[in-house]
Amino acid sequence: MERTKKTIIVFSGDLDRALAAFIIANGAAAMGDEVTMFFTFWGLNILRKPEKVPVRKGFLEALFGRMMPRGAGKLGLSRMNFGGLGTAMMKHVMKKKCIASLPELIATAREQGVKLVACTMSMDVMGIREEELIDGLEFAGVATYLGEADEANVNLFI
Amino acid sequence: MERTKKTIIVFSGDLDRALAAFIIANGAAAMGDEVTMFFTFWGLNILRKPEKVPVRKGFLEALFGRMMPRGAGKLGLSRMNFGGLGTAMMKHVMKKKCIASLPELIATAREQGVKLVACTMSMDVMGIREEELIDGLEFAGVATYLGEADEANVNLFI
Amino acid sequence: MERTKKTIIVFSGDLDRALAAFIIANGAAAMGDEVTMFFTFWGLNILRKPEKVPVRKGFLEALFGRMMPRGAGKLGLSRMNFGGLGTAMMKHVMKKKCIASLPELIATAREQGVKLVACTMSMDVMGIREEELIDGLEFAGVATYLGEADEANVNLFI
């Protein structure tokens, strides 16, 4: 089978949509495809380090940063979140059924060489610095995305 | 015109997004395309039978099942739902203007040979059994999706 | 570089998703691509004129019209809207950082020849008339979308 390319824009920062994105990405990578994921807007939250990173920010940037979830372990479901209870239930069920968690899926994606790209313009808007995101990312803008999408045969927006 | 292939991942269980997915799928099928729809996460709710089906479930599975809408007739809008009032208004307007309802669109999709696939991993997570879903579905995972998407010229995530 | 084609279905009427759609569309147009955006359901609100346009409507249509945001300047974020406060903060930050606003992005899209198409069926369902939408649009249905998508190499649903 020939090696093809896939791109996924991860716009959403919801746990369920992030799971879907990584399951598709890892599946494609396992089948030998080249996969690039572009994290933009709320999707950037998936890539945040769980700990507070000391960086200089303006007031609004700091406020945005505090209000948004810090990393894959903190995301909630897009529906039935119920103040975190639904999300906890879902995680519990997934663990019991031996389905990989989001942090595990991210680790697998990195091992498989899925390219994780953070959108620099979104980082600027949201006041998120490189040091606040997990290691091993690339940083790029819409032109890079379009270049990759032109070479890919499947392009999704999640 | 040559026969091409389309795939749609139906992740959302919102009435409005489900309508959009089936309108695109039916349009493509009517133009002679091969169409495959993959229902995953909340999208599985679109395929649930309206009646309660007696199956053995764990406590959390049963709870999830009770809290999620049972079938195409029970879905709400993603916006302006207003506790069901907005959804009822939208359905009323669609009927008055002779626009097909979601159950009608699903019936047309099946008549036209649109392939409806339920994601087995999502079914496992949500505790949904085959017997609880409408007849005539196929059951598969992400590898099947990727195989179909590789052959398609339009792939959407809704 | 060869000129390719892109299509984007803009289903969402959220400010953040609308921004993402126009940033991708304008990026592609700047790189010489032909871009068509299809506005459907809540996405139609992005194209509404900011002022009230006197047209004859039924009761429900008028009610829907009043409850939905009138144009690109009135949209809210999909998250952290906080009754408009989060949206105002985001706009303030974007302005301070010299990032184009949604109305500016729409103007650029039109200057660059991005084709903006309003979905006629959605207009019918939502009771939105041509006169209520900004000038320079095309009006079409799902068959037109599918025809364009068949010729495009990137097709997104936002």
Side-chain angles (χ1 to χ4, degrees):
Chain A
M1 188 178 244
E2 73 190 306
R3 189 173 161 83
T4 58
K5 204 164 182 168
K6 313 267 178 282
T7 74
I8 302 176
I9 295 179
V10 186
F11 173 93
S12 168
D14 296 320
L15 175 61
D16 39 9
R17 290 183 174 256
L19 286 169
F22 275 96
I23 288 166
I24 296 166
N26 286 347
M31 289 162 82
D33 287 348
E34 235 184 283
V35 184
T36 305
M37 301 175 82
F38 286 85
F39 296 83
T40 177
F41 281 82
W42 316 107
L44 285 173
N45 291 329
I46 303 170
L47 303 179
R48 289 176 83 190
K49 288 181 186 155
E51 70 274 11
K52 189 164 162 37
V53 178
V55 285
R56 288 185 66 125
K57 292 201 181 187
F59 173 72
L60 280 181
E61 286 182 340
L63 190 61
F64 261 65
R66 255 204 307 278
M67 289 190 306
M68 294 188 303
R70 206 175 267 137
K74 299 283 174 50
L75 307 177
L77 293 174
S78 65
R79 281 176 159 230
M80 305 211 322
N81 187 38
F82 300 128
L85 191 66
T87 300
M89 272 168 58
M90 168 79 71
K91 286 184 185 176
H92 173 79
V93 169
M94 286 175 64
K95 197 167 182 178
K96 230 176 91 182
K97 303 204 172 172
C98 299
I99 295 168
S101 69
L102 183 56
E104 286 163 358
L105 288 168
I106 296 174
T108 304
R110 299 170 79 166
E111 282 160 29
Q112 290 194 119
V114 171
K115 209 194 282 182
L116 307 180
V117 183
C119 169
T120 46
M121 199 186 108
S122 299
M123 288 171 64
D124 195 22
V125 171
M126 304 224 161
I128 292 177
R129 306 279 187 275
E130 290 194 18
E131 308 91 274
E132 295 179 85
L133 301 179
I134 57 175
D135 299 324
L137 304 180
E138 296 184 23
F139 299 90
V142 69
T144 301
Y145 164 71
L146 288 163
E148 301 247 15
D150 270 336
E151 293 171 11
N153 70 338
V154 176
N155 300 293
L156 303 174
F157 184 101
I158 296 186
Chain B
M1 189 178 244
E2 71 188 310
R3 188 172 161 84
T4 59
K5 203 164 183 168
K6 313 266 178 283
T7 75
I8 302 176
I9 295 179
V10 186
F11 172 93
S12 168
D14 296 320
L15 175 60
D16 39 8
R17 289 184 176 257
L19 285 168
F22 275 95
I23 288 165
I24 296 167
N26 287 347
M31 288 162 83
D33 288 347
E34 236 184 281
V35 184
T36 306
M37 301 174 84
F38 286 84
F39 296 83
T40 177
F41 280 81
W42 317 107
L44 286 173
N45 292 328
I46 303 169
L47 303 179
R48 290 176 82 190
K49 288 180 185 156
E51 69 274 11
K52 190 166 163 35
V53 178
V55 285
R56 290 184 64 124
K57 292 202 182 188
F59 173 72
L60 280 182
E61 286 182 340
L63 190 62
F64 261 65
R66 255 204 306 279
M67 290 190 307
M68 294 188 304
R70 205 175 268 138
K74 299 283 174 50
L75 308 177
L77 293 173
S78 65
R79 279 177 161 228
M80 304 210 324
N81 185 39
F82 301 128
L85 190 67
T87 300
M89 271 169 58
M90 169 78 72
K91 286 184 185 176
H92 173 80
V93 168
M94 286 175 64
K95 197 167 183 177
K96 230 176 90 182
K97 302 203 172 173
C98 300
I99 294 169
S101 69
L102 183 56
E104 287 162 357
L105 287 169
I106 295 174
T108 304
R110 298 170 82 166
E111 283 160 28
Q112 290 194 118
V114 171
K115 207 193 288 181
L116 306 181
V117 183
C119 168
T120 46
M121 199 185 108
S122 299
M123 289 172 63
D124 196 23
V125 171
M126 304 221 162
I128 293 176
R129 307 278 188 273
E130 289 194 18
E131 310 90 276
E132 296 179 86
L133 300 180
I134 57 175
D135 299 325
L137 303 181
E138 297 184 24
F139 299 90
V142 68
T144 301
Y145 164 69
L146 288 163
E148 301 248 15
D150 269 337
E151 292 171 11
N153 71 339
V154 175
N155 299 292
L156 303 175
F157 184 100
I158 296 185
Chain C
M1 190 179 244
E2 71 190 307
R3 189 172 159 85
T4 58
K5 204 164 181 168
K6 313 265 178 285
T7 74
I8 302 176
I9 296 180
V10 186
F11 172 93
S12 169
D14 296 319
L15 175 61
D16 39 10
R17 290 183 175 258
L19 285 169
F22 276 96
I23 288 166
I24 296 167
N26 286 347
M31 288 162 83
D33 288 347
E34 236 183 281
V35 184
T36 305
M37 300 175 84
F38 286 85
F39 295 83
T40 176
F41 280 82
W42 317 107
L44 285 173
N45 291 329
I46 304 168
L47 303 179
R48 289 176 82 190
K49 288 180 187 156
E51 70 274 10
K52 190 166 164 35
V53 179
V55 285
R56 287 185 66 124
K57 292 202 182 188
F59 174 72
L60 280 181
E61 286 182 340
L63 190 61
F64 260 64
R66 254 204 308 278
M67 289 190 307
M68 294 189 303
R70 204 175 269 137
K74 299 283 173 50
L75 307 178
L77 293 174
S78 65
R79 283 179 158 225
M80 304 210 323
N81 187 37
F82 301 127
L85 190 66
T87 300
M89 270 169 56
M90 168 79 72
K91 286 185 184 175
H92 173 79
V93 168
M94 286 174 65
K95 196 165 183 180
K96 231 175 91 182
K97 302 203 171 172
C98 298
I99 295 168
S101 68
L102 183 56
E104 287 162 358
L105 287 168
I106 296 173
T108 304
R110 299 171 80 166
E111 282 161 28
Q112 289 194 119
V114 171
K115 208 193 286 181
L116 307 180
V117 183
C119 168
T120 46
M121 198 185 109
S122 299
M123 289 172 62
D124 196 22
V125 171
M126 303 222 161
I128 293 177
R129 306 277 187 276
E130 289 195 18
E131 309 90 277
E132 295 179 88
L133 300 179
I134 58 175
D135 299 325
L137 303 180
E138 296 184 25
F139 298 90
V142 69
T144 301
Y145 164 70
L146 287 163
E148 301 249 15
D150 269 337
E151 292 172 11
N153 71 339
V154 176
N155 299 293
L156 303 174
F157 183 100
I158 295 185

